[in-house]
Amino acid sequence: MSATDNTTAPVVTRFAPSPTGFLHLGGARTALFNWLFAKHHGGKFLLRIEDTDRVRSTQAAIDAILDGMRWLGLDWDGDAVFQFARATRHAEVANELVARGHAYRCWMTPAEIDAQRAAAQAAKQPLRIRSPWRDRTDGPADRRFVVRLKAPREGATTIDDRVQGAVTVQNAELDDLVLLRSDGTPTYMLAVVVDDHDMSVTHVIRGDDHLNNAFRQLPIIRAMGWPEPTYAHVPMIHGADGGKLSKRHGAVGVEAYRDELGILPEALDNYLLRLGWGHGDAEIITRAQAVEWFDLRAVGKAPSRFDLRKLDSLNGHYLREAGDARLAALAGERLGMSDDPALDLLTRAMPALKPRAANLNELADSAHFLFAARPLDVDADAAPLLDGDARATLARAHAALDAVQHWDTETTETAVRVVADAAGLKLGQVAQPLRVALTGRRASPGIFDVLALLGRDESLARIADQALAEEPAA
Ligand code: GLU
């Protein structure tokens, strides 16, 4: 434990998403920071689904969030806690606060609240409800009431935030927030506090859009006499233009990075970690290093900008590191190839393919030629490479390769070099038409790797298809 973590309780963090959409990048980063902080301190990382908004919370969103977290390797301890199911407990705490004199029943009518709102508007002041029931208990027994917190009005509240530093709000600026609605249901503000307490959360690490909420939550915690968590409010992620990251910047859900952009989870984790946190100039940071190094002091105060090019370059690194069989399965999924021979071929192809790809889409695309049916479709920009003497050259290459005994990268290279030398051509002048004949494209892995991967029969047949073809009539 570092010197400033002077609590004695074991560290417990939590990620508390509202299941109203996909797991977005900001949420994934919050989860990652909580996960790393817990692991760094040998503590626990818990998951709470904040599903109290019954209209906007969906099972599909819950599934997407759990799926995204599993994909990113952010496993949580114990079962996920569902907030809505704990409403009775939340109400119990509100009633306890009433019994202790820290909260009160408020019978203000909508008309009275409207009048305060209008007065605040006229005075150009924010609305702060001042309830006449704060110190009275003799409300009408036959009318419904809400339960409000009796928030302190004098003095100031300071939060010593691990990221934002000391932040102070005058208590006069806070109002007596509602804890229980008139139908008896708890408010979000109450639910968060009760759940964090009951889950023994010691560190609340979340987006800085919740900093204002902390000033409304802390008085509830103090009124109950509960231990106060350490807060760390992490700045938002912005898009390249400096605005808060949103749909207009492209994909915001992690599943799109996986499914559409072909990013590996370890690359996204590394990227999200570096977005707003640093350890010297380290860019490539393994999970083990992240657990060892992570602390809240190195979280920046300024919003960070999302940069897809950086993510792609990290992803390229992790693709080169990744195991061939794993990449073969991922590329195979994208190509619709999952049978054993296809996966075996893809696995053998990976050492030649993966150095050239920045993401799984490029990787799958570069493997396409392995499964292409004869006669190959030749890309429009590659077709001119078969003009002139190229088809005659292919015929010679075919004859030379046909004589190769043990077919591999070396023997095929020797044969092609002999053809080039005999014809007074540079190696590239033979390799380029061969590439087009074998892959249908201008670019591919090294041509001898391509020959070896396709094997003798398929290679010779593809070369023959182009070598023997008639020049198209002009
Ligand atoms: N449910 C809140 C959200 O998704 C987070 C609440 C919290 O972390 O305290 O923004």
Side-chain angles (χ1 to χ4, degrees), residues 14 16-18 48 50 188 192 196 204-206 209-210 217:
R14 58 29 168 212
S18 304
R48 180 169 73 236
E50 303 209 316
Y188 167 71
V192 168
D196 280 345
V204 171
I205 304 168
R206 60 188 175 190
D209 50 339
H210 286 282
Q217 292 164 356

Side-chain angles (χ1 to χ4, degrees), residues 10 104 113 119 154 159 168 182 191-192 201 233 261 272 282 296 322 337 389 434 446:
Y104 59 92
I113 290 173
E154 270 82 55
I159 289 180
T168 299
S182 60
V192 168
V201 170
H233 287 94
L261 297 164
L272 290 174
L296 293 168
M337 310 293 302
D389 297 333
L434 269 179

Side-chain angles (χ1 to χ4, degrees), residues 51-107:
D51 56 349
T52 48
D53 183 337
R54 302 312 287 166
V55 178
R56 294 177 63 224
S57 299
T58 65
Q59 187 58 42
I62 295 172
D63 294 343
I65 290 167
L66 301 188
D67 187 43
M69 289 180 68
R70 286 194 196 101
W71 179 63
L72 288 170
L74 302 175
D75 49 315
W76 53 95
D77 290 297
D79 291 334
V81 170
F82 287 83
Q83 189 161 62
F84 180 69
R86 295 176 35 81
T88 311
R89 166 67 181 148
H90 303 146
E92 183 185 300
V93 170
N95 292 326
E96 193 176 331
L97 284 167
V98 173
R100 292 186 188 196
H102 290 304
Y104 59 92
R105 300 194 170 106
C106 171
W107 282 270

Side-chain angles (χ1 to χ4, degrees), residues 37 71 205 211 271 273 275 303 313 369 395 397 403 420 446:
F37 189 79
W71 179 63
I205 304 168
L211 181 60
Y271 182 73
L273 174 61
L275 205 56
S313 105
F369 77 91

Side-chain angles (χ1 to χ4, degrees), residues 401-446:
L401 286 165
D402 198 23
V404 167
Q405 295 298 319
H406 300 286
W407 188 272
D408 62 25
T409 52
E410 276 107 55
T411 53
T412 54
E413 173 162 3
T414 306
V416 172
R417 281 188 187 280
V418 168
V419 169
D421 289 347
L425 298 172
K426 293 194 191 112
L427 183 61
Q429 288 174 290
V430 185
Q432 203 54 345
L434 269 179
R435 182 186 311 284
V436 179
L438 292 167
T439 71
R441 298 198 173 170
R442 291 182 73 93
S444 78

